[in-house]
Amino acid sequence: MTAPQPRPGPPADASTLRLGYGTNGFANHRLDDALAVIADLGYVGVALTLDHDHLDPFAPGLTRRTAAVSRRLSALGLAVVIETGARYLLDPWHKHAPTLLHDDPTRRIEFLRRAVRIGADLGAEAVSFWAGVRPDPVPAQTAWDRLVSGCAAVVDAADAADVTLGFEPEPGMLVEDIAGWRRLRAALGAPARFGITLDIGHCRCLEPWPVPQCVAEVAGHLVNVQIDDMRRGVHEHLEFGTGEIDFPPVLAALAQAGYRGLVAVELPRDSHAAPAVAARSIEFLRAAATGGRTEDEVPAGTLRSASADAAAMVAYPGSGRRMG
């Protein structure tokens, strides 16, 4: 099996990156409404977190509901990646439990298999997941063995469904950095569909390299990007401009890496003001993508409109521990 190839198309610069927004930042909206607002603001994709009110994978009528979401995404011209970081979907008492590291990970594995099937039905560019926090009673080696076994089961499901996986290193989890992802990928036998989800904020939080170098380090395996601001040593997703990240070099690094997937804003603590935060976020990223220049100062044709981005998306179809 060959590794998934980037979608074809002209060479990218930072102004042609495909911006999306995470529905975990619209937790107080109906999914249909959230998708409409995201599209109206000019985003070309969504990172869809499967959750109670956003395409619950365990509620009745999943096939019918997934088909309805597929139609809605198509009508709005939105691409999609699937995120699996819902907090209390599997256990109403314990956030994110069970993970792949628990004594009985059956419900987590079933959730991830369903996420893969939903991803296939929606034509998702990637299905993203993570390791989980090691429970205190579980020895480190046992937790690692459970993680490898659980990931292998998810890889098998992804291979059968022709879906790309993006494994996300999360601060505080068993795999929290790029080095941990590399170790896990090697333990799995370097499967072709096992890519990486890179959260730009996490790079600033704990990686040993500057953020643009983090992008370069995983460029060949990058299948999903989450973007937010963050401070060194603090795992808190911040609005752009309120943390420590210099974004123009980061966006340039993504373009130079040839990345063609979604770059989706992840601000899960900001659902209370989602439309305003999403509007500010896309304006910030558009400015950062052009080095801080306004649209009038950019050469004609460089900063593309949302409709142009959507047209390009059709022409070139796409390839934590959480705070709060």
Side-chain angles (χ1 to χ4, degrees):
M1 180 182 299
T2 58
Q5 298 298 309
R7 64 191 182 98
D13 59 45
S15 66
T16 62
L17 293 172
R18 301 165 63 234
L19 300 179
Y21 203 91
T23 61
N24 62 356
F26 273 80
N28 299 326
H29 283 67
R30 298 178 186 89
L31 181 57
D32 273 5
D33 292 341
L35 297 178
V37 173
I38 289 166
D40 286 348
L41 288 172
Y43 292 96
V44 302
V46 292
L48 172 56
T49 296
L50 304 177
D51 208 343
H52 300 286
D53 292 327
H54 289 177
L55 194 54
D56 184 342
F58 293 102
L62 180 59
T63 299
R64 171 185 52 78
R65 291 183 290 109
T66 301
V69 172
S70 180
R71 291 191 296 270
R72 184 65 165 159
L73 291 168
S74 179
L76 294 169
L78 292 172
V80 64
V81 297
I82 299 297
E83 298 284 351
T84 58
R87 294 176 177 88
Y88 293 99
L89 179 66
L90 306 183
D91 184 333
W93 289 95
H94 304 100
K95 187 172 77 168
H96 292 155
T99 71
L100 295 174
L101 313 181
H102 280 80
D103 292 342
D104 184 3
T106 303
R107 191 158 171 81
R108 172 64 56 176
I109 292 173
E110 174 59 22
F111 170 43
L112 294 176
R113 285 173 171 155
R114 291 186 183 215
V116 166
R117 292 198 296 271
I118 291 168
D121 290 342
L122 294 181
E125 297 179 9
V127 173
S128 184
F129 69 114
W130 34 243
V133 177
R134 179 174 65 86
D136 289 337
V138 178
Q141 186 60 51
T142 300
W144 179 258
D145 292 343
R146 288 175 177 177
L147 176 62
V148 173
S149 176
C151 286
V154 180
V155 168
D156 287 345
D159 283 342
D162 195 22
V163 167
T164 296
L165 299 173
F167 189 93
E168 182 186 3
E170 276 275 355
M173 291 193 175
L174 188 63
V175 173
E176 66 176 0
D177 55 19
I178 291 170
W181 171 82
R182 286 174 171 159
R183 179 188 174 209
L184 177 58
R185 181 172 178 270
L188 291 166
R193 296 191 179 280
F194 193 79
I196 188 168
T197 291
L198 190 68
D199 186 307
I200 297 302
H202 296 170
C203 295
R204 176 57 187 159
C205 179
L206 52 63
E207 294 289 355
W209 310 291
V211 180
Q213 186 178 342
C214 292
V215 173
E217 290 285 336
V218 299
H221 304 284
L222 191 56
V223 299
N224 184 30
V225 171
Q226 301 167 354
I227 194 163
D228 45 75
D229 212 341
M230 209 166 282
R231 300 187 182 98
R232 189 69 177 170
V234 182
H235 184 199
E236 183 178 5
H237 294 249
L238 302 173
E239 264 202 78
F240 301 110
T242 64
E244 299 172 345
I245 298 175
D246 182 17
F247 281 94
V250 174
L251 300 182
L254 287 168
Q256 291 161 9
Y259 177 66
R260 299 291 191 273
L262 289 176
V263 179
V265 177
E266 185 174 48
L267 292 172
R269 282 190 161 186
D270 291 285
S271 291
H272 64 284
V277 172
R280 290 195 296 268
S281 296
I282 196 168
E283 291 307 315
F284 181 96
L285 290 172
R286 283 172 169 167
T290 58
R293 294 172 290 172
T294 66
E295 187 167 353
D296 291 340
E297 296 170 324
V298 178
T302 302
L303 187 62
R304 301 190 302 179
S305 67
S307 59
D309 280 330
M313 185 173 60
V314 173
Y316 307 112
S319 39
R321 185 167 61 183
R322 304 282 182 185
M323 297 293 294

